[in-house]
Amino acid sequence: MHIIPRLVAYTLVCTLVNYTAQIGQTSAGLIFFWPGNALAAMLAMHWRSRCQHSCKQRLVTFMLLFMSGHYAASLLVQQQMTPLQQFYACLTDTLCIPIYAACTQLVLRQRRYYRAHMRSILLIVPITMTAIIQGIIAGVFLARLIPLGTPGFVAIDWTSEQIFSGLIVSMLLSGILSHKRSLRANPLRMPMFLLIISLACAQVLMLFSDWLSLVTILVLPSLIALIRLGFAWTILITGCFMLLAAASRIHFYLSLYDYRQGNTLFHEIFSNRFDFAMTAILIIVMAEIMSRNRRLMAHIKAKANTDPLTQLCNRRSVLQAISRHTGRQNLGIAILDVDNFKAINDHYGHDVGDRVLTQLSQILRHRVRAQDIPARWGGEEFLVIFPDIAPTSFPDTCQRIIKAIREQPLMENGAPIAFTASLGGVFISKFETGHFEQAIVFADSLLYQAKQTGKDKAIVAMDYLPGHPSATAQKAA
């Protein structure tokens, strides 16, 4: 989306949200959830981040458009405030944009202290700081211009409302904006989707009962997401359920409470807002900790299954992966060995020998398909698994690998160091896990035959039958 359409879309969304909130406030005489300020601040920062130059001008432009749209929406709703008082209220709301931008920049400058918890801090701290600063401004200044209540009441009401609303908006926006990268990489499975739908139905029950625990129902889907899903899905699901919980609580207040009498209701409102806010903060922090632990475990697992020199799969990884190919049709197994590798080490040194192995691993990566499994089998010996390879393609593929190794010498100080490899391969029309060790032994015997008959060649058995090692071998010239 281009700059102008994006800006217009953001402004219209914020105006519509504020207009809806003001209609609800006027009709019910009660504010529990006000997302317009946080939404405007975060969309302004998102629009600003799309281009690094003229970022201040972009922020000021969005502030003016938001202010004008917010004020226009306020005038369209019949309220007990005068137009001037409405202007002061809209101006205080608009201050959320520069305050949030300043708090975000302040937090980013100190990221060296919390780099391990970057996402949680950026979701929680700027919006919380903004709500507190705005609450103080509203209590000290706005309460004197508009008869909203005592300064202390206005400050607490504004702060609790904006922290609760801001956390919901930040979770929803962060989850939605992470869609292309994180959500598509971790799609919801059907059982998880059905479970979340059932929990949503349980959440709806709170519309008809005043004793069901909001936080308990809210935490259930969040805990499931923490266990089974990534960070983006967790905060998006939590944000959606917090929004539903807010709607349930508003319905409860309007339908079952005499909310226009006394201060007891407002004490409960403040309590519920902070209760939801603390729950959201806890879930956000836990989601990042668990996400980091998953990444750490994946990194450790990758390290355990990767050869440190060539960055190919190691023997352990191959043995784990081969079980997934049980019953597969047309599987090829090839073993390669560098010719005269001891002579290379003796003549050029072990460092050059290591670079030869690295060069061969790069050749394998470029010469095999995405579904193939190249691995370092041990020493100067390599193994490649070819799942679902056509019988006519297997010998040609082995031949191309040997030819590529021959034609791509290692460049050392501007001088080429030529090296070759020999290959033994077997083709299995229907593979079972128990065939692997026997096939490896037979492929290794073909590799030995290739070395004994001149090296720099591939010998492939196309009619290999497990249990019948006398299969006919053919040379891939």
Side-chain angles (χ1 to χ4, degrees):
M1 187 183 293
H2 295 295
I3 296 300
I4 299 301
R6 184 187 297 272
L7 179 60
V8 172
Y10 285 177
T11 306
L12 290 176
V13 168
C14 293
T15 301
L16 180 61
V17 169
N18 280 318
Y19 178 71
T20 304
Q22 290 179 68
I23 289 179
Q25 174 191 357
T26 303
S27 61
L30 176 70
I31 305 175
F32 183 72
F33 177 66
W34 187 283
N37 298 0
L39 180 64
M42 293 176 193
L43 289 179
M45 289 297 291
H46 179 65
W47 183 58
R48 174 189 178 189
S49 66
R50 305 297 294 181
C51 184
Q52 295 301 320
H53 68 277
S54 304
C55 55
K56 293 183 179 179
Q57 291 83 345
R58 286 166 168 264
L59 206 60
V60 172
T61 302
F62 191 86
M63 284 177 57
L64 294 175
L65 289 172
F66 174 74
M67 174 65 189
S68 60
H70 188 9
Y71 186 55
S74 180
L75 293 176
L76 291 175
V77 179
Q78 292 184 357
Q79 302 185 54
Q80 296 180 353
M81 294 187 294
T82 66
L84 182 59
Q85 290 175 332
Q86 294 180 41
F87 177 81
Y88 292 144
C90 293
L91 181 61
T92 306
D93 282 339
T94 306
L95 290 177
C96 184
I97 295 175
I99 294 174
Y100 182 79
C103 292
T104 301
Q105 293 302 316
L106 178 63
V107 169
L108 285 173
R109 290 194 187 99
Q110 307 301 321
R111 60 182 175 270
R112 64 183 181 276
Y113 297 114
Y114 60 85
R115 193 174 299 276
H117 305 281
M118 173 77 76
R119 290 186 290 183
S120 297
I121 296 296
L122 286 177
L123 279 175
I124 298 169
V125 175
I127 197 64
T128 303
M129 293 174 62
T130 302
I132 293 173
I133 295 172
Q134 265 198 299
I136 295 173
I137 294 173
V140 174
F141 298 105
L142 189 62
R144 297 181 180 180
L145 301 172
I146 306 175
L148 299 173
T150 63
F153 173 84
V154 173
I156 295 175
D157 181 52
W158 192 295
T159 301
S160 62
E161 172 192 276
Q162 288 304 303
I163 290 178
F164 168 55
S165 305
L167 286 172
I168 292 180
V169 172
S170 65
M171 287 189 291
L172 291 174
L173 276 183
S174 179
I176 292 171
L177 294 175
S178 301
H179 175 74
K180 292 182 180 179
R181 182 178 62 257
S182 300
L183 302 188
R184 288 184 179 178
N186 300 282
L188 279 177
R189 300 291 188 266
M190 183 55 67
M192 184 65 62
F193 179 76
L194 294 176
L195 183 56
I196 291 174
I197 291 297
S198 65
L199 290 172
C201 295
Q203 185 86 38
V204 174
L205 292 176
M206 290 188 301
L207 294 173
F208 309 102
S209 175
D210 60 338
W211 55 267
L212 284 174
S213 173
L214 286 169
V215 175
T216 300
I217 302 296
L218 167 67
V219 167
L220 285 177
S222 299
L223 290 178
I224 295 171
L226 281 171
I227 296 170
R228 300 296 300 272
L229 304 175
F231 181 82
W233 270 119
T234 300
I235 61 172
L236 180 59
I237 290 172
T238 302
C240 291
F241 275 82
M242 288 191 70
L243 187 62
L244 186 57
S248 301
R249 184 50 52 179
I250 292 171
H251 179 273
F252 169 67
Y253 289 146
L254 297 182
S255 60
L256 300 178
Y257 236 109
D258 186 8
Y259 59 89
R260 290 184 176 87
Q261 296 182 5
N263 293 324
T264 304
L265 172 64
F266 291 103
H267 295 160
E268 183 178 342
I269 288 176
F270 300 156
S271 175
N272 276 317
R273 286 172 179 168
F274 285 118
D275 190 15
F276 286 166
M278 292 304 298
T279 302
I281 291 172
L282 179 63
I283 290 172
I284 290 172
V285 174
M286 290 177 63
E288 181 157 30
I289 292 174
M290 296 189 71
S291 178
R292 188 174 67 248
N293 289 342
R294 289 192 189 100
R295 292 196 303 269
L296 180 61
M297 291 301 296
H299 178 72
I300 293 174
K301 185 177 179 180
K303 284 288 186 182
N305 293 329
T306 303
D307 176 65
L309 176 63
T310 63
Q311 298 304 307
L312 295 177
C313 299
N314 57 17
R315 183 187 291 254
R316 170 194 174 96
S317 179
V318 171
L319 294 177
Q320 290 177 348
I322 198 66
S323 61
R324 297 194 296 266
H325 299 287
T326 298
R328 188 180 294 274
Q329 303 288 335
N330 299 341
L331 183 134
I333 300 176
I335 294 183
L336 298 86
D337 189 89
V338 179
D339 297 328
N340 305 315
F341 186 68
K342 184 177 184 303
I344 294 175
N345 279 332
D346 293 341
H347 188 271
Y348 297 102
H350 289 276
D351 289 343
V352 174
D354 289 344
R355 285 193 284 275
V356 166
L357 298 179
T358 303
Q359 172 90 348
L360 195 151
S361 67
Q362 293 173 354
I363 294 172
L364 287 180
R365 285 195 188 92
H366 289 91
R367 293 291 172 177
V368 300
R369 305 165 302 171
Q371 66 266 35
D372 297 335
I373 306 174
R376 186 181 180 189
W377 195 239
E380 67 271 21
E381 201 169 58
F382 292 80
L383 176 74
V384 185
I385 307 296
F386 299 93
D388 298 320
I389 189 168
T392 55
S393 299
F394 184 54
D396 294 336
T397 301
C398 294
Q399 175 189 359
R400 286 195 298 270
I401 290 174
I402 294 300
K403 183 180 179 182
I405 295 172
R406 182 191 312 127
E407 294 178 349
Q408 297 183 39
L410 174 69
M411 301 303 296
E412 188 72 17
N413 297 325
I417 299 178
F419 64 95
T420 60
S422 301
L423 182 149
V426 295
F427 179 86
I428 305 175
S429 58
K430 185 174 182 180
F431 177 77
E432 300 292 341
T433 304
H435 300 159
F436 182 67
E437 291 186 7
Q438 185 181 353
I440 287 292
V441 171
F442 190 70
D444 197 56
S445 68
L446 297 179
L447 169 63
Y448 179 78
Q449 182 180 343
K451 284 186 173 293
Q452 292 296 314
T453 56
K455 302 178 181 178
D456 189 21
K457 65 174 67 173
I459 298 181
V460 179
M462 292 303 299
D463 53 354
Y464 172 74
L465 296 175
H468 298 78
S470 59
T472 304
Q474 72 176 60
K475 177 181 178 181

